[in-house]
């Protein structure tokens, strides 16, 4: 058995938000150094780090990436950090695998890189790792994410996670402030907001491709009860199964927003983009076969799901977009996570993390063994 549970218990106790994973990075770097790996820290000026092992024998370069950041929740009116997406589990599994590589001499050829990425939830971590240049010589890159019960039963695994493109953005609508008794002298951005949401809800795409766009936040406040405000801030979330659909939907949505505002004389003043996750691409048939065989060896063919299309987003797929030479694989690990990822009370059965360690190990042996 690996040390995965010991690592998990500690990392779970020190949740840190994106780009602030200081204790997390220190712990991981310390364990990797103790195991005898070459560790490079502060990738692109962040908390990101990579541990490398060179077999000294010519061969491919393989990397496994794990994310480190936690989420921010408002609990009883107070801000609190919690690992409600399982990134502590991902880091623990990769850390355990890196230790096994050194202890059991698993890598026989080529080089192995364990990549610990910050800020996945912010949508900026993968791009920072790309900026650092540490993946420029990597041939294969593997990712893994625990899955909720709705997608994968406990003890099972998904051989190929097909994530959707996802993006969130905020728009600021400018109206014209006026007294509530004289609304004809103003332009109500709340009225504009209702027109905008109706117009966005009428955006249609090819129904054969899963997509959605919806308002997730609406704020307008003049500071008093009897005044029409000048501004409204509206946030939207968009999802699409492929990248061309996302591009087209973004264009249609922005057109709907601009024209919805104009309908009452208001103006689209500002667009602020947040997370931008591309849809899954970069899967290589040869690598897919290796991943599937490895998953089946660990969980059994009856518990191995060939692929799963999810509406969730994952910045891992920035890697093959930015580095087209990469061949990627992404495994979904069934751990019985409930009631759902990002829920403040998300929990799962940690005994299944050992399956993740074994799947990683099996893939490494097939490529570098």
């Amino acid at each position: 058995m690996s040390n995965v549970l010991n690592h998990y218990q500690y990392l779970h106790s020190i949740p840190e938000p994106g780009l602030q994973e200081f204790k997390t990075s220190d712990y991981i770097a310390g364990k990797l150094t103790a195991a005898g790996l070459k560790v490079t820290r502060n990738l692109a000026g962040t908390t990101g780090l990579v541990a490398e092992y060179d077999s000294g024998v010519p061969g491919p370069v393989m990397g496994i990436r794990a994310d480190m950041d936690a989420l921010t929740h408002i609990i009883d009116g107070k801000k609190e950090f919690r690992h409600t997406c399982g990134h502590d589990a991902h880091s623990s599994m990769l850390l355990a695998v890196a230790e096994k590589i050194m202890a059991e001499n698993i890598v026989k050829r080529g080089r192995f890189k364990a990549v610990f990425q910050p800020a996945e939830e912010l949508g900026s971590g993968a791009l920072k790792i790309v900026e650092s240049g540490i993946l420029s010589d990597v041939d294969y890159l593997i990712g893994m994410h625990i899955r909720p019960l709705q997608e994968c039963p406990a003890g099972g695994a998904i051989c190929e996670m097909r994530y959707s493109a996802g993006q969130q953005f905020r728009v600021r609508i400018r109206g014209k402030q006026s007294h509530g008794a004289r609304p004809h002298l103003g332009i109500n951005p709340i009225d504009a907001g209702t027109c905008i949401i109706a117009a966005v809800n009428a955006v249609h795409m090819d129904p054969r491709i899963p997509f959605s766009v919806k308002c997730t936040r609406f704020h307008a406040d003049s500071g008093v009860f009897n005044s029409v405000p000048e501004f409204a801030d509206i946030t939207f979330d968009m999802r699409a199964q492929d990248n061309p659909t996302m591009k087209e939907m973004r264009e249609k949505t922005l057109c709907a927003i601009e024209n919805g505002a104009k309908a009452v004389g208001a103006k689209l003043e500002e667009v602020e983009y947040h997370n931008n996750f591309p849809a899954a691409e970069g899967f290589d048939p040869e690598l897919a076969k290796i991943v599937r065989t490895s998953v089946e060896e660990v969980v059994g063919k009856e518990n191995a799901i060939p692929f799963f299309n999810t509406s969730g987003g994952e910045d891992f797929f920035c890697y093959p977009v930015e580095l087209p030479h990469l061949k990627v694989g992404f495994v979904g690990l069934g751990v019985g996570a409930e009631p759902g990822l990002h829920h403040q009370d998300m929990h799962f059965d940690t005994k299944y993390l050992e399956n993740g360690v074994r799947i990683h190990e099996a893939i490494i042996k097939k490529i570098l063994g």
Side-chain angles (χ1 to χ4, degrees), residues 232-286:
D233 291 304
I234 312 172
T235 301
F236 292 91
D237 175 274
M238 296 190 297
R239 309 278 169 163
Q241 192 63 59
D242 62 38
N243 293 314
T245 299
M246 172 60 83
K247 182 177 183 295
E248 181 184 353
M249 182 167 61
R250 184 188 299 115
E251 293 169 353
K252 287 184 174 181
T253 298
L254 288 173
C255 181
I257 291 170
E258 187 171 0
N259 289 320
K262 287 180 179 178
V264 295
K267 179 183 178 182
L268 171 59
E269 181 165 277
E270 178 185 340
V271 182
E272 179 184 81
Y273 291 99
H274 294 284
N275 294 350
N276 183 16
F277 300 123
E281 57 181 50
F283 292 120
D284 174 73
E286 175 195 358

Side-chain angles (χ1 to χ4, degrees), residues 5 14 112 119 153 173 369:
L5 293 183
I14 55 164
F112 174 76
I173 306 302

Side-chain angles (χ1 to χ4, degrees), residues 185-201:
L185 299 179
I187 298 173
N188 195 333
I190 299 175
D191 292 337
T194 60
C195 291
I196 287 168
I197 292 171
V200 169
N201 286 343

Side-chain angles (χ1 to χ4, degrees), residues 45-124:
T46 72
T47 52
L49 66 146
V50 62
E52 183 173 351
Y53 176 76
D54 188 343
S55 70
V57 178
V61 182
M62 175 189 169
I64 298 179
R65 168 273 204 178
D67 35 21
M68 302 187 293
D69 53 325
L71 283 156
T72 304
H73 292 274
I74 303 299
I75 311 294
D76 297 327
K78 297 181 180 179
K79 185 164 70 173
E80 183 177 321
F81 303 128
R82 290 187 180 183
H83 270 299
T84 55
C85 198
H87 296 187
D88 48 350
H90 309 157
S91 289
S92 299
M93 290 186 289
L94 180 52
L95 182 51
V97 168
E99 290 175 331
K100 290 195 75 175
I101 283 175
M102 301 305 291
E104 301 178 14
N105 192 27
I106 292 171
V107 174
K108 306 294 187 182
R109 66 180 186 131
R111 287 182 289 134
F112 174 76
K113 293 187 179 185
V115 181
F116 293 87
Q117 179 203 302
E120 191 279 332
E121 298 294 352
L122 299 180
S124 59

